């Protein structure tokens, strides 16, 4: 089973901090991976964040991507992110690599945390490739808390694995597992025996997440926490036809047509809704459900959060019932 937030933890109000920050550091930390340091140009402190948080980075107007913060949460003067150059991607990583060199300015929003580290006696961290970024501050926090923890970190080649030298300082708590030397991550060994005192945190490419989710099916409810930066594959919506959305705060009733999202329908009606990824991965558009049953199609909510049905990501999720009443 999966879970994404600690007990009682909810997404905060729609992102509140938005600013133009200056790139003060641009460092190649592995083949194809750069780490950027971002600071307020006026020297002001940046908002507090916790391990697992991400920011929205907008290297160009209308173009936004999410990156995990991977620096030290205690350092309020700087944020650090690491970005893999993906020539086959949607272009965001190339903009970051080519244009956000030291001295450049970039619009950011956040931080937001869909992947918070819950308190536990023990942790198993599993990272694949650039998915190590949110895990870095997590292992530091687990170490500082005196928890028992272990990180298994896989990548294609050692030279492509960011921060492996930094992680080596933790000794045998960290297993570096380059695929060209050792093959695929030994997930059966790591996850074969469910452990009641251990939470599993995993970030990486979709095939790794899917394999970890499958193996954690026998682990206690809420043991597994995953972070996705690409949307998981979705099936057809439960309702092929449209549905009605009552926007309680705005006093508007909208018809959501098949093939049109609730988010875009609300925007068309003049309702201001914050959004970022528009593919169900970032949590920015989370909206409270007052009545009706959502058809969840996002990659953020856990099974238990989906079953509770009290919030939904309106950029991708739809309705199982002819009518939804939302806090919009
Ligand atoms: S805008 Fe990112 S989850 Fe909806």
């Amino acid at each position: 089973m999966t879970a994404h937030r600690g007990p009682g933890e909810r997404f905060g109000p729609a992102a509140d901090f938005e600013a133009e920050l200056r790139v003060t550091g641009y460092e190649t930390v592995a083949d194809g991976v750069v780490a950027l340091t971002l600071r307020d140009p006026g020297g002001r402190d940046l908002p507090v964040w916790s391990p697992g948080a991400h920011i929205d980075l907008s290297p160009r107007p209308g173009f936004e991507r999410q990156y995990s913060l991977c620096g030290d949460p205690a350092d309020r003067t700087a944020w650090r992110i690491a970005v893999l150059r993906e020539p086959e991607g949607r272009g965001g990583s190339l903009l970051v690599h080519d244009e956000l060199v030291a001295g450049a300015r970039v619009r950011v929003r956040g931080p937001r945390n869909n992947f918070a580290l819950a308190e536990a006696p023990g942790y198993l961290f599993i990272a694949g490739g650039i998915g190590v970024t949110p895990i870095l501050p997590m292992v530091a926090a687990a170490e500082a808390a005196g928890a028992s923890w272990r990180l298994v970190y896989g990548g294609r080649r050692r030279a492509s694995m960011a921060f492996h030298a930094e992680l080596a300082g933790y000794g045998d708590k960290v297993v570096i597992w380059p695929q060209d030397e050792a093959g695929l991550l030994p997930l059966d060994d790591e996850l074969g025996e469910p452990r009641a005192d251990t939470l599993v945190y995993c970030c990486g490419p979709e095939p790794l997440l899917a394999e970890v989710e499958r193996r954690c099916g026998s682990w206690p409810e809420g043991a597994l926490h995953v972070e996705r930066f690409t949307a998981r594959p979705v099936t057809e919506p439960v309702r092929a036809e449209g549905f009605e959305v009552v926007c309680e705060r705005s006093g508007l009733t909208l018809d959501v047509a098949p093939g049109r999202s609730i988010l875009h329908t609300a925007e068309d009606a003049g309702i201001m809704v914050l959004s970022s990824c528009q593919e169900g991965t970032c949590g920015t558009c989370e909206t409270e459900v007052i009545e009706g049953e959502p058809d969840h199609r996002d990659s953020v909510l856990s099974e238990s959060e989906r079953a509770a049905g009290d919030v939904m990501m309106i950029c991708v999720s739809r309705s199982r019932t002819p009518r939804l009443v939302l806090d919009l």
Side-chain angles (χ1 to χ4, degrees):
M1 300 296 288
T2 62
H4 298 260
R5 304 171 220 187
E9 186 181 6
R10 296 179 51 80
F11 292 140
D16 35 15
F17 173 81
E18 188 168 352
E20 194 173 74
L21 299 185
R22 193 153 57 89
V23 180
T24 60
Y26 178 102
E27 184 194 355
T28 299
V29 290
D31 287 355
V33 181
V34 292
L36 303 188
T37 306
L38 306 170
R39 293 179 199 272
D40 181 89
R44 284 169 297 223
D45 276 355
L46 297 172
V48 172
W49 61 281
S50 57
H54 70 262
I55 55 171
D56 299 332
L57 194 83
S58 181
R60 289 228 180 115
F63 197 99
E64 215 167 67
R65 292 290 178 268
Q66 289 73 44
Y67 296 103
S68 295
L69 291 169
C70 62
D72 175 5
D75 181 3
R76 299 283 307 277
T77 69
W79 283 346
R80 178 171 74 156
I81 58 169
V83 181
L84 170 68
R85 187 177 185 94
E86 295 178 278
E88 311 302 327
R90 293 168 297 168
S93 70
L94 303 186
L95 282 178
V96 172
H97 274 247
D98 296 340
E99 297 185 14
L100 296 189
V101 294
R105 301 225 177 180
V106 63
R107 193 109 209 126
V108 301
R109 188 167 64 176
R112 177 175 295 273
N113 199 340
N114 303 335
F115 191 44
L117 190 65
E119 247 179 67
Y123 301 97
L124 172 61
F125 299 106
I126 302 175
I130 197 65
V132 74
T133 50
I135 303 290
L136 267 190
M138 285 186 172
V139 300
E143 180 75 4
S148 143
W149 65 272
R150 172 177 169 84
L151 163 62
V152 186
Y153 174 20
R156 291 216 173 93
R157 293 172 296 109
R158 196 173 290 268
S160 69
M161 296 173 68
F163 307 119
H164 70 81
E166 188 170 322
L167 286 165
Y170 291 111
D172 60 9
K173 290 179 181 172
V174 175
V175 179
I176 304 290
W177 198 275
Q179 194 176 337
D180 65 343
E181 298 172 26
L184 293 174
L185 283 176
L187 296 180
D188 287 335
D189 297 348
E190 298 295 337
L191 296 167
E193 278 297 315
R195 275 167 274 156
D197 61 349
T198 300
L199 296 181
V200 181
Y201 281 79
C202 178
C203 185
E206 183 58 35
L208 173 65
L209 297 176
E211 284 301 308
V212 169
E213 282 179 330
R214 192 170 64 76
R215 286 170 173 85
C216 283
S218 57
W219 280 60
E221 167 91 32
L224 173 62
H225 300 240
V226 299
E227 173 90 315
R228 283 185 158 81
F229 282 104
T230 51
R232 67 175 141 205
V234 288
T235 50
E236 286 300 305
V238 172
R239 290 178 65 82
E241 62 272 52
F243 52 93
E244 186 177 271
V245 168
V246 178
C247 305
E248 181 125 306
R249 260 186 298 128
S250 321
L252 294 176
T253 298
L254 311 174
D255 288 320
V256 179
R260 189 87 181 136
S261 69
I262 300 175
L263 174 73
H264 286 142
T265 307
E267 285 175 341
D268 291 347
I271 299 173
M272 268 283 294
V273 189
L274 273 185
S275 66
S276 180
C277 70
Q278 304 207 358
E279 59 176 22
T281 57
C282 74
T284 307
C285 69
E286 181 178 294
T287 300
E288 191 184 331
V289 180
I290 297 164
E291 214 179 291
E293 204 183 327
D295 174 11
H296 294 291
R297 299 161 61 74
D298 64 88
S299 303
V300 177
L301 296 176
S302 68
E303 289 306 320
S304 55
E305 288 164 341
R306 285 177 169 219
D310 53 359
V311 293
M312 67 186 293
M313 304 303 150
I314 60 169
C315 61
V316 290
S317 293
R318 303 188 66 77
S319 183
R320 290 173 171 265
T321 45
R323 180 171 177 266
L324 282 177
V325 182
L326 300 180
D327 182 29
L328 280 175

